[in-house]
């Protein structure tokens, strides 16, 4: 095994291990996580909205949130390298790897790491806060220890903590999800993936055929996020503050990942650093050159 192959395999293994360290807690929360058990008031109007199916379902969210950025990264790197000339800096098992493949791997890996890290932050908040969704009372139909429900006037104005769901159609998953309103996971994931993709296009897409094409794509990506966030409110899956918090976390995650983890703006950052020059008369003195 050559030194290049050994280095590439070591890099891939380390990257996978680090992604697993961030991803496994997300899987643990999904399979075995238990949220904070808070109480509620039967006359809380914000918890009495009807239960509706999601307009943007989870599989749709993950499909466009993963496929669109990945496709954008691969195509952008391919055409960039094709325009500059096909160079091959790495070899794996005696095969030369085109630069567009290695660049795509690096950018997709950083994108995936940021997405997992942002999702873990959201999940920690979800399970630590345990806020009820707007359709909680309608979906659960809480029944208290004396057998009464929220339809009984005597239960109004009382903070209830001990109850069971009397709705026979509620599933175990729904009973768990009804406590995970804050912050919105759909909003955070959509905001992170689409905003990061828009930032990536801004930094890497430099096709001169049209001045507006890149900005048109960026606008479409932001529209997807906007629509997803609004649907979570109109479907009564989240309170507006849940969506605002989730979208904010997604945008912050995209900004941190693009600015401080990726090298999308490496050339710009290096050009902003002042150069230095040592004086011949005073070797111990360093001048800054603007």
């Amino acid at each position: 095994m050559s030194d290049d192959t050994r280095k590439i395999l070591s890099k891939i293994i380390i990257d996978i291990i680090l992604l697993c360290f961030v991803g496994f807690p997300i899987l643990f929360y999904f399979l075995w996580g238990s949220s904070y058990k808070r109480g509620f008031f039967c006359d809380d109007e914000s918890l009495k909205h009807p239960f509706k199916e999601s307009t943007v379902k989870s599989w749709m969210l993950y499909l466009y949130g993963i496929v669109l950025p990945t496709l954008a990264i691969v195509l952008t790197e391919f055409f960039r390298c094709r325009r500059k000339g096909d160079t091959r800096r790495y070899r794996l098992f005696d095969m030369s790897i085109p630069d567009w493949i290695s660049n795509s791997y690096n950018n997709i890996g950083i994108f995936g790491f940021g997405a997992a890290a942002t999702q873990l932050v959201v999940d920690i908040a979800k399970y630590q806060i345990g806020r009820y969704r707007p359709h909680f009372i309608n979906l659960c139909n809480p029944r208290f220890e004396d057998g009464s429900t929220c339809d009984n006037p005597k239960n109004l104005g009382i903070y209830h903590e001990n109850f069971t769901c009397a709705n026979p159609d509620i599933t175990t998953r729904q009973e768990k999800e009804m406590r995970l309103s804050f912050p919105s996971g759909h909003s955070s994931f959509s905001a992170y993936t689409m905003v990061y993709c828009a930032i990536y296009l801004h930094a890497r897409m430099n096709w001169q055929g049209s001045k507006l094409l890149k900005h048109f794509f960026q606008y479409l990506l932001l529209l997807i996020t906007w629509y997803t966030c609004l649907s979570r409110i109109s479907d009564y899956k989240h309170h507006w503050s849940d969506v605002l918090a989730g979208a904010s976390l997604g945008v912050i995650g995209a900004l941190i990942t693009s600015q401080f983890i990726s090298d999308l703006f490496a050339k710009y950052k290096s050009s902003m650093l002042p150069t230095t020059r040592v004086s011949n008369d005073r070797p111990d003195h360093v001048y800054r050159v603007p």
Side-chain angles (χ1 to χ4, degrees), residues 235-253:
D235 290 340
Y236 306 124
K237 298 298 183 182
H238 295 281
H239 308 274
W240 68 267
S241 53
D242 305 335
V243 172
L244 178 61
S248 299
L249 287 173
V251 171
I252 292 172

Side-chain angles (χ1 to χ4, degrees), residues 85-130:
D86 186 18
T87 58
R88 299 168 184 258
R89 292 174 294 172
Y90 305 102
R91 295 186 65 83
L92 179 64
F93 297 115
D94 296 328
M95 296 183 299
S96 58
I97 302 176
D99 274 1
W100 71 269
I101 293 181
S102 59
N103 292 342
S104 298
Y105 168 81
N106 290 329
N107 283 290
I108 292 173
I110 291 173
F111 164 77
F113 177 81
T118 303
Q119 186 61 45
L120 181 56
V121 171
V122 170
D123 282 352
I124 291 173
K126 277 180 174 290
Y127 285 87
Q128 187 65 27
I129 294 176

